[in-house]
Amino acid sequence: MTLREELTEQVVRIEEMLEKVPEPMARKLREHLGELRELLLEQRPPRFVLVGRRGAGKSSLVNAIFGEPVAEVGHEKATTARGTWWSYEGGLGTLEMLDTRGLQEGSAPEEASADEDAQQSIARAIEEKAPDALLFLIKAKEIDAAVDGDLDGLEVVSQQVRERYGYRVPLVAVITHCDELEPKNVNLHAPDDEDADELQEKLARVRRVEQDLAQKIRGRTALRDQLVGVHGVSAYQSWRRDGTRRADERWRVEELLDFLLDELPEQARVEFVRLSQVRGLQHRMADRLTTVVSGITAGVALTPLPLADIGPITSLQVSLVVGIGYVAGRRMELRTAGEFLGALGANVGAAMALREVARGLVKVMPGFGSVVSAAVAFAGTRGVGRASAAYFIDGVSTEQAKELFKKARRDARAEYEREHEE
Ligand SMILES: Nc1nc2c(ncn2[C@@H]2O[C@H](COP(=O)(O)OP(=O)(O)OP(=O)(O)O)[C@@H](O)[C@H]2O)c(=O)[nH]1
Ligand SMILES: [Mg+2]
């Protein structure tokens, strides 16, 4: 059985079990299960629509997200990859992009038919798949009167999404080439080497163009509500022929990705974090998975049913290990994840024994036992999540992971009991 099948089966079993569980407990558990389903079982690549003039840096942004040269930078033929969803494949994941290049370029009469083609093909692509966000790219030095033409293009696309899918797609404006603002000699990507005053001057210019652009976009009633952020970046990287990187002048790209993650639907988040390989994002995602899964295991432990046993709890913990490993860029066998759990000392036997102890207590102290066993399940899962994140994302040793597991479990247990004491 694949992980997905295994986890699906587990989720289905717990969902069935929930039919016999009283609300509000069932409701809470159902919510967590829904999140887990979306995050791990229904995952898919993120989909962005790119709007931006020729040379704005659309391909460079794609490469900046991956940290690898997956898109061709510079002079592509004007016809490539426009008006169709394009899958960019990195070593660790896929991003789907719709390049609308040409859409916003004013239609000279003799080009009217070609221009219509651009619009039609974009409309067709949007008909085919709903985008998660609209990225508007513009060079820092080109935020001028011509922006109106770009905004017309943005309006067209966002209206198409609204008509087809009935929602307002989030719009994120990305100001590229910020490194080219004055003072030119100041390197934004290496701020420690720069004169503090000159650096401040440059950063103030970035803020000003961000404000300018935000104001221009908010001036359009059709776009005002959709604008979720304006981010100045530098996306510049260059590669040698052999594929090794020659220069990395990316600036504030990680902040942009952190921001974009919040705008994505659950289904697209795990893939986005995996392919970007940004450690901060990986930790955010690992924490999220840990919270969701520890909530579910606590709920399962609380359910007054024979099925509420160690089986689902352990396999949910195994899934958590695999999920965090995946976010960190690995692909793991279930057995490997099980072995990792064993190495932590988070083994089934110990948890089972604790459960027996808890069961014994219920008999003498009604109402106490369920809190104890839920706390045990919650704390154990939290411990597993923390240890997995440290091991797979930060690369700590098994010994260190084991220590972290114990500490996190202790802390989580105290936290759970504090929150659930009457
Ligand atoms: N200095 C600097 N150069 C950049 C930045 N982003 C892109 N470039 C450069 O700008 C040029 C155009 O970048 P592309 O990524 O090819 O632009 P594009 O929007 O994909 O262009 P088309 O596909 O032709 O529409 C390339 O030479 C990039 O190296 C940036 O933030 N700073
Ligand atoms: Mg390009």
Side-chain angles (χ1 to χ4, degrees):
M1 223 186 324
T2 66
L3 168 73
R4 198 174 283 234
E5 285 163 354
E6 163 107 349
L7 187 55
T8 304
E9 193 177 280
Q10 214 51 254
V11 169
V12 170
R13 270 174 72 193
I14 299 171
E15 275 169 352
E16 280 168 6
M17 175 177 111
L18 282 182
E19 286 163 19
K20 297 175 201 141
V21 173
E23 296 300 333
M25 191 198 289
R27 194 177 331 117
K28 184 103 196 170
L29 212 45
R30 217 175 279 122
E31 264 172 37
H32 276 321
L33 282 167
E35 280 176 79
L36 191 64
R37 237 182 214 290
E38 290 181 343
L39 284 170
L40 289 184
L41 302 178
E42 295 167 9
Q43 52 170 291
R44 60 158 175 81
R47 288 195 287 262
F48 298 112
V49 175
L50 293 173
V51 177
R53 297 174 203 169
R54 297 224 166 93
K58 299 181 291 297
S59 303
S60 300
L61 183 67
V62 170
N63 293 339
I65 293 174
F66 280 95
E68 299 173 62
V70 297
E72 200 176 320
V73 168
H75 306 289
E76 276 180 75
K77 284 200 193 84
T79 49
T80 36
R82 188 191 61 197
T84 49
W85 285 102
W86 194 261
S87 288
Y88 289 104
E89 312 255 352
L92 295 171
T94 306
L95 207 56
E96 291 184 25
M97 294 282 193
L98 175 60
D99 192 336
T100 66
R101 181 182 39 182
L103 177 72
Q104 71 284 7
E105 288 167 8
S107 50
E110 68 272 20
E111 283 178 19
S113 69
D115 206 56
E116 213 166 276
D117 272 357
Q119 287 214 2
Q120 278 171 353
S121 62
I122 291 160
R124 240 196 328 276
I126 286 173
E127 190 74 20
E128 203 183 302
K129 282 178 193 173
D132 298 320
L134 214 60
L135 303 183
F136 170 42
L137 274 71
I138 184 156
K139 286 189 192 179
K141 287 184 155 176
E142 291 185 357
I143 300 171
D144 47 34
V147 168
D148 275 324
D150 302 304
L151 298 184
D152 290 343
L154 280 174
E155 282 187 1
V156 169
V157 175
S158 68
Q159 197 183 335
Q160 278 165 355
V161 176
R162 192 149 65 238
E163 279 168 11
R164 174 68 178 82
Y165 300 100
Y167 74 97
R168 289 172 176 271
V169 61
L171 165 61
V172 180
V174 180
I175 303 174
T176 59
H177 292 74
C178 281
D179 50 303
E180 291 178 350
L181 290 169
E182 298 294 332
K184 241 180 170 161
N185 59 315
V186 174
N187 285 321
L188 291 171
H189 65 278
D192 296 343
D193 307 337
E194 300 300 340
D195 176 85
D197 288 340
E198 292 192 337
L199 182 65
Q200 285 313 316
E201 189 184 335
K202 191 152 179 158
L203 292 174
R205 281 215 164 77
V206 173
R207 274 196 298 280
R208 209 167 314 134
V209 291
E210 285 173 339
Q211 284 159 5
D212 269 6
L213 184 61
Q215 204 171 14
K216 283 196 159 78
I217 297 174
R218 293 212 182 90
R220 299 280 186 119
T221 38
L223 296 174
R224 188 180 299 150
D225 302 343
Q226 266 149 291
L227 183 68
V228 290
V230 178
H231 296 263
V233 303
S234 164
Y236 185 80
Q237 297 173 95
S238 76
W239 281 273
R240 295 186 191 88
R241 251 172 233 271
D242 64 3
T244 57
R245 187 159 44 201
R246 182 180 341 181
D248 183 358
E249 300 184 4
R250 285 179 294 173
W251 176 71
R252 285 196 184 163
V253 170
E254 290 192 4
E255 285 94 324
L256 172 66
L257 300 187
D258 196 78
F259 181 87
L260 278 177
L261 182 62
D262 285 330
E263 297 304 321
L264 288 177
E266 304 280 18
Q267 292 89 334
R269 288 187 176 172
V270 165
E271 184 84 357
F272 187 64
V273 167
R274 176 177 163 95
L275 69 84
S276 73
Q277 284 301 289
V278 176
R279 227 187 246 196
L281 297 193
Q282 292 172 334
H283 275 292
R284 266 186 67 186
M285 208 63 226
D287 283 353
R288 180 75 196 289
L289 287 169
T290 302
T291 302
V292 169
V293 178
S294 47
I296 298 173
T297 52
V300 168
L302 274 173
T303 46
L305 290 159
L307 226 171
D309 211 19
I310 207 70
I313 292 179
T314 305
S315 48
L316 283 164
Q317 288 179 347
V318 169
S319 311
L320 178 62
V321 174
V322 177
I324 292 175
Y326 186 82
V327 161
R330 318 227 182 160
R331 216 179 261 280
M332 236 181 300
E333 299 274 330
L334 283 176
R335 198 163 47 85
T336 319
E339 282 163 9
F340 180 71
L341 278 186
L344 291 181
N347 61 58
V348 185
M352 190 81 100
L354 282 168
R355 226 185 127 69
E356 287 314 308
V357 172
R359 284 224 174 96
L361 279 172
V362 189
K363 290 181 189 132
V364 284
M365 300 171 71
F368 177 72
S370 59
V371 175
V372 170
S373 63
V376 167
F378 177 85
T381 310
R382 173 80 75 76
V384 167
R386 293 277 191 273
S388 308
Y391 185 77
F392 294 111
I393 302 174
D394 301 326
V396 306
S397 68
T398 314
E399 275 312 303
Q400 285 170 304
K402 204 168 161 177
E403 286 310 307
L404 280 166
F405 167 72
K406 285 191 205 145
K407 181 176 186 314
R409 186 175 59 178
R410 219 170 28 241
D411 294 349
R413 170 116 186 216
E415 183 188 312
Y416 191 91
E417 282 166 355
R418 211 168 36 244
E419 278 171 16
H420 291 80
E421 69 189 10
E422 258 90 13

